[in-house]
Amino acid sequence: MAWAEILDGPPEWAGTQFESPEVDLADEIGLTHPRWRGTSVGVRPGALYAYQKVEVAGDRHRYRYVGPFGMGTRPRRLYHGVEDLTGSDVLVVQKELHSDDRRKLWGSPVRVYTAPPGTPRPGPDRAPEEQGWQELTRGGMLRRPRAPGPGELFQEWLARLLVEGNPWVVGHWRRLADREGAAKDAEVERIEAEQRQMVRVARAARELQRLQHEEVRSWTSDPPFPARTTYIPMIGEDLARIRGLGNRDWMALQDRMLLVVHPDRDPDDDNSPLYGFAKIYSAPPATPPPDPAVAPEQQGWTELEEGDFLVPWLLHITMYELCERPCCAPFRVPKPGN
């Protein structure tokens, strides 16, 4: 074992040291937020802070800060209008970042910002964007403002789907109809995020049904706009024992039964567009599967609120290549890019 010493950079790591196998102390290393160590919380591509080794003294490996880059990456060069963020500070904004409840930490949404060196940390009274900080995307690059006007175009597209009788667009169309200008454009971004999350939630439900087909059940309503419902009765250790899942102690925190409802493709049209959102419900252990003809809310199921840790719990399942064959157990690793 050897020691890594972080000499400078953002205050989250500056002046700290930690023990690590010497083979892991490469010339360039990437670190996540210290509050996330030992948990499944994180951001893509897996690290927020990049460091370059500058000195080795015995078992001490000393590093200096490089910038807000992913694991083991070199500084991004200026190309095609992408800014070089070498030396830029990093700020993590997460409501439950310092919570002692691991479930709140897992469920709390994360936003990451960057600013030139020396920029004061933002105060709580105004948004970081109003105090010289810019948001970073998942790829570790600056979020660029979208051209104005996508809200109107998106609403027109939803209106066409509405005329076709698609029930999955009603709520989104109403949300856009109640807003104008920049507020409408911002709402489009939130709707698109819900759409991406729906795809991952649906994938997680399918994975659980594939691996635990005797316990996890699924059924689909009638076309042309079918809804697929997946009933997940297992909780806690029953789920953590599934082969291939990482962070098993975190997976065991799941304490409620789940019901996942999302749009399904028309079985007669493989090329049909899939649009909508996922509804995730929870219920106490031993709750029976709901009657498809009655709304889940009327049968003891409660829709998850924003920030509930069970939402990222489901999304976490999509990070792993899960195979039920025992022969594959020693070789399972997270999917590339996760």
Side-chain angles (χ1 to χ4, degrees):
M1 299 292 284
W3 286 87
E5 296 182 0
I6 308 301
L7 303 178
D8 59 3
E12 288 80 5
W13 283 107
T16 64
Q17 57 183 354
F18 56 89
E19 196 172 19
S20 175
E22 189 164 8
V23 67
D24 293 339
L25 298 179
D27 290 340
E28 293 180 346
I29 61 173
L31 298 177
T32 186
H33 195 282
R35 288 287 299 169
W36 298 341
R37 296 191 71 187
T39 77
S40 61
V41 183
V43 295
R44 297 179 182 178
L48 290 176
Y49 316 88
Y51 296 89
Q52 179 78 38
K53 187 184 296 184
V54 295
E55 183 184 8
V56 178
D59 64 347
R60 299 277 171 171
H61 298 247
R62 299 189 172 101
Y63 292 85
R64 289 200 177 276
Y65 182 63
V66 178
F69 312 115
M71 185 71 70
T73 61
R74 296 184 178 276
R76 298 187 185 278
R77 301 301 179 188
L78 183 63
Y79 65 96
H80 300 306
V82 177
E83 295 84 354
D84 185 354
L85 300 178
T86 301
S88 294
D89 197 359
V90 181
L91 172 72
V92 172
V93 176
Q94 186 183 21
K95 182 179 178 181
E96 302 292 346
L97 180 63
H98 299 286
S99 174
D100 292 330
D101 187 335
R102 296 189 300 167
R103 292 171 295 185
K104 290 183 179 179
L105 178 66
W106 197 354
S108 182
V110 176
R111 302 186 77 172
V112 180
Y113 295 86
T114 186
T119 303
R121 290 293 172 106
D125 54 332
R126 292 185 297 152
E129 294 91 338
E130 300 175 8
Q131 303 179 64
W133 292 77
Q134 292 179 272
E135 187 175 1
L136 286 176
T137 65
R138 286 184 177 180
M141 293 182 286
L142 296 179
R143 180 180 297 279
R144 299 179 177 277
R146 301 175 65 165
E152 291 290 345
L153 296 175
F154 200 82
Q155 185 178 351
E156 292 175 4
W157 177 67
L158 292 183
R160 291 194 292 270
L161 295 180
L162 200 60
V163 171
E164 297 174 1
N166 190 332
W168 294 99
V169 306
V170 176
H172 289 168
W173 182 87
R174 287 176 177 167
R175 283 163 55 181
L176 292 177
D178 292 338
R179 292 168 172 81
E180 297 295 338
K184 189 189 294 282
D185 296 343
E187 193 65 24
V188 168
E189 292 195 14
R190 287 188 283 269
I191 290 174
E192 289 177 339
E194 293 173 11
Q195 170 79 5
R196 291 191 295 269
Q197 178 171 293
M198 179 268 292
V199 173
R200 291 186 62 197
V201 166
R203 189 189 315 151
R206 288 195 301 268
E207 283 288 276
L208 283 174
Q209 186 188 25
R210 180 177 68 84
L211 294 171
Q212 305 291 324
H213 58 273
E214 295 183 358
E215 294 88 0
V216 178
R217 286 184 273 170
S218 183
W219 58 90
T220 305
S221 62
D222 297 331
F225 304 105
R228 186 176 183 86
T229 303
T230 304
Y231 170 71
I232 306 172
M234 298 132 38
I235 63 173
E237 288 295 335
D238 291 337
L239 285 162
R241 282 194 289 268
I242 296 177
R243 300 189 191 97
L245 287 179
N247 301 292
R248 297 183 64 174
D249 57 331
W250 281 71
M251 300 305 291
L253 292 176
Q254 206 273 46
D255 57 355
R256 287 160 283 167
M257 300 173 63
L258 290 178
L259 191 71
V260 179
V261 183
H262 61 85
D264 198 21
R265 292 193 182 279
D266 184 341
D268 298 325
D269 185 3
D270 291 337
N271 296 319
S272 60
L274 186 62
Y275 179 85
F277 53 91
K279 282 192 172 184
I280 308 174
Y281 300 88
S282 68
T287 300
D291 182 348
V294 182
E297 294 91 340
Q298 301 177 18
Q299 303 178 68
W301 293 85
T302 303
E303 188 172 357
L304 298 186
E305 298 179 355
E306 183 179 1
D308 194 304
F309 82 98
L310 289 182
V311 176
W313 180 91
L314 267 175
L315 299 180
H316 182 70
I317 294 173
T318 65
M319 295 176 61
Y320 292 86
E321 294 285 1
L322 302 180
C323 174
E324 65 273 27
R325 292 178 296 174
C327 60
C328 295
F331 308 106
R332 293 191 191 95
V333 296
K335 291 182 180 179
N338 289 289

